Amino acid sequence: MSARPEPATLLITGGAGYIGAHTCVALQRAGYRLVVLDNFCNSSPQTLARIERITGQPLEGVQGDVRDRALLDRLFQSQAIQGVLHFAGLKAVGESSEKPLEYYSNNVAGSLVLMQAMQAAGVKTLVFSSSATVYGTPQFLPYTEAHPLAPVNPYGRTKLMVEDMLRDLHQSDADWRVGILRYFNPVGADASGLIGEDPRGIPNNLMPFIAQVATGRREFLNVWGNDYDTPDGTGVRDYIHVTDLAAGHVSALQHLEKTPGCLTLNLGSGQGHSVLEMVRAFEQASGRTIAHRFAPRRAGDLPAFWANADEARRILGWEARCSLLQMCEDTWRFQTQSAEAG
Ligand code: NAD
Ligand code: WQD
């Protein structure tokens, strides 16, 4: 009888955050052993316990900063890490204009320190959380991966800088296996209702705001603009269920394990939905009325964008499966259940 192979170990930076936590669930289910590094600046250690509860498998949580080179060196020396999924970073577009240096430090310097530690340790597989924000004002829609890259805010520029660093690194050493994943608008929550998006303070993003109106925590939703050149005048985005997004990471990693290279892929549903469509879907999922008012356009907002997701389907055989209703039902379940879960 042959011995069962040891599960591969991965380092997940920012794994207690919204997308990282859902990806941890998917990776554990796919058989990986996980070490999660997070400084909990926008998350809680409780999420790691909940991931374990969902999958029934333990993970190793390490509290620390991705910019701490000595800590990274210790992790790479003490654990047989074979690849890294790098979620850690700051993500609020408005805040990135107010505190650009924090964004360059966390997102750019953090990624640089991580790449340096990986190179020193000989770990050369890295999947990076990029964003559709790198495209900037649409020259054409839907965005393909070949769309020009011209982000319009500091947050987007940090993502593009890290992408450029990764492309240069791969160019210098073809042994690197790099996955640059450009997420569109992740929403929804794990079907268990145990993990989801729980922003601190007033939510910036549409879905968490709608969810808080549904529970009565906020009085009404401001719909930022109803005079755009879109079917109903409100902004159009490509919403993707976070569980689909998590599955996309597993597919990308497994592809890189077989095929060295530098892979850049849009992860979106390929469909645009308006703010009012989101409101109606959430009303259907929750059985609550979402009070809303039309308000002036939000500064910096694009009227509409969505993904061409053909490349991910062609290369990975991955595509987003969940409906808008499912995204809203899972968000609602998390919103109503998570507080009771302990
Ligand atoms: P999140 O804030 O929920 O998760 C990020 C995690 O990283 C948090 O747990 C936070 O505590 C941790 N972190 C931040 N800085 C750190 C540091 N210096 N060292 C260690 N840990 C640190 O955000 P998210 O929505 O899960 O996003 C994950 C990644 O995906 C981010 O890089 C984000 O820019 C990117 N992204 C997010 C979206 C989105 O809409 N949510 C879209 C595109 C790209
Ligand atoms: C969606 C739509 C708003 C709130 C941002 C970042 C992007 C990415 C995802 C990280 C828009 C409208 C929203 C509200 C509203 N993050 N809206 N009332 O702006 O597409 O993308 O998050 O990479 O980089 O820019 O997402 O959820 O804020 O807005 O009417 O209270 O909902 O105008 O049309 P956005 P969002």
Side-chain angles (χ1 to χ4, degrees):
M1 207 171 72
S2 61
R4 275 172 58 194
E6 282 287 305
T9 301
L10 301 171
L11 175 65
I12 315 296
T13 77
Y18 174 47
I19 302 167
H22 289 83
T23 306
C24 284
V25 169
L27 289 167
Q28 285 198 320
R29 287 185 174 147
Y32 293 94
R33 186 182 158 264
L34 305 183
V35 179
V36 173
L37 172 67
D38 204 301
N39 65 4
F40 303 117
C41 71
N42 196 35
S43 57
S44 141
Q46 189 189 42
T47 299
L48 301 182
R50 290 186 175 195
I51 295 167
E52 292 177 328
R53 204 165 132 191
I54 292 167
T55 63
Q57 292 169 48
L59 56 74
E60 184 157 342
V62 178
Q63 179 162 7
D65 198 292
V66 75
R67 292 164 292 185
D68 183 343
R69 174 67 194 267
L71 172 61
L72 290 178
D73 287 345
R74 282 201 299 281
L75 284 177
F76 285 117
Q77 277 157 19
S78 61
Q79 310 268 356
I81 293 165
Q82 289 163 32
V84 180
L85 283 84
H86 179 37
F87 298 93
L90 305 179
K91 62 166 180 175
V93 171
E95 187 186 60
S96 78
S97 294
E98 290 152 24
K99 303 175 181 173
L101 298 185
E102 282 190 29
Y103 277 69
Y104 288 109
S105 174
N106 267 278
N107 296 5
V108 181
S111 299
L112 175 64
V113 172
L114 176 64
M115 286 178 227
Q116 288 170 326
M118 289 177 69
Q119 190 169 51
V123 177
K124 295 185 177 180
T125 300
L126 176 59
V127 175
F128 172 62
S129 299
S130 189
S131 167
T133 312
V134 295
Y135 295 121
T137 307
Q139 309 297 309
F140 56 82
L141 284 172
Y143 289 129
T144 65
E145 288 82 357
H147 187 282
L149 303 176
V152 296
N153 53 61
Y155 167 73
R157 283 188 279 277
T158 67
K159 290 291 169 187
L160 181 53
M161 283 177 191
V162 177
E163 284 200 6
D164 282 336
M165 284 158 56
L166 287 166
R167 283 186 276 270
D168 287 340
L169 182 58
H170 178 262
Q171 193 70 35
S172 74
D173 176 357
D175 287 346
W176 274 85
R177 295 162 193 255
V178 175
I180 295 172
L181 304 181
R182 295 181 181 149
Y183 313 154
F184 280 70
N185 287 57
V187 297
D190 186 75
S192 64
L194 287 172
I195 57 173
E197 188 174 19
D198 191 13
R200 296 177 181 171
I202 302 171
N204 289 310
N205 294 113
L206 178 64
M207 188 67 126
F209 202 105
I210 290 179
Q212 293 191 7
V213 175
T215 59
R217 199 163 141 202
R218 314 253 163 226
E219 204 184 335
F220 60 87
L221 168 75
N222 280 305
V223 177
W224 305 125
N226 65 341
D227 57 352
Y228 285 115
D229 184 15
T230 59
D232 65 19
T234 66
V236 167
R237 296 291 184 272
D238 183 331
Y239 298 95
I240 174 169
H241 197 298
V242 67
T243 300
D244 279 332
L245 192 61
H249 288 75
V250 178
S251 299
L253 180 70
Q254 290 176 342
H255 178 85
L256 290 171
E257 286 170 348
K258 291 193 286 258
T259 323
C262 183
L263 195 62
T264 303
L265 294 173
N266 286 341
L267 294 185
S269 73
Q271 284 181 20
H273 292 286
S274 73
V275 176
L276 292 181
E277 279 181 90
M278 296 298 284
V279 167
R280 280 195 294 273
F282 208 94
E283 288 182 332
Q284 194 184 340
S286 64
R288 304 274 174 101
T289 300
I290 310 298
H292 57 280
R293 294 182 188 171
F294 294 117
R297 295 178 179 192
R298 184 171 65 177
D301 263 359
L302 292 168
F305 64 84
W306 63 98
N308 176 317
D310 292 351
E311 201 62 355
R313 191 182 308 112
R314 190 178 66 78
I315 294 180
L316 306 180
W318 168 91
E319 62 185 343
R321 290 173 192 284
C322 298
S323 66
L324 207 55
L325 186 62
Q326 210 171 334
M327 298 179 206
C328 295
E329 283 171 352
D330 289 338
T331 302
W332 182 235
R333 188 179 304 109
F334 172 69
Q335 194 72 34
T336 49
Q337 286 185 6
S338 70
E340 297 149 25

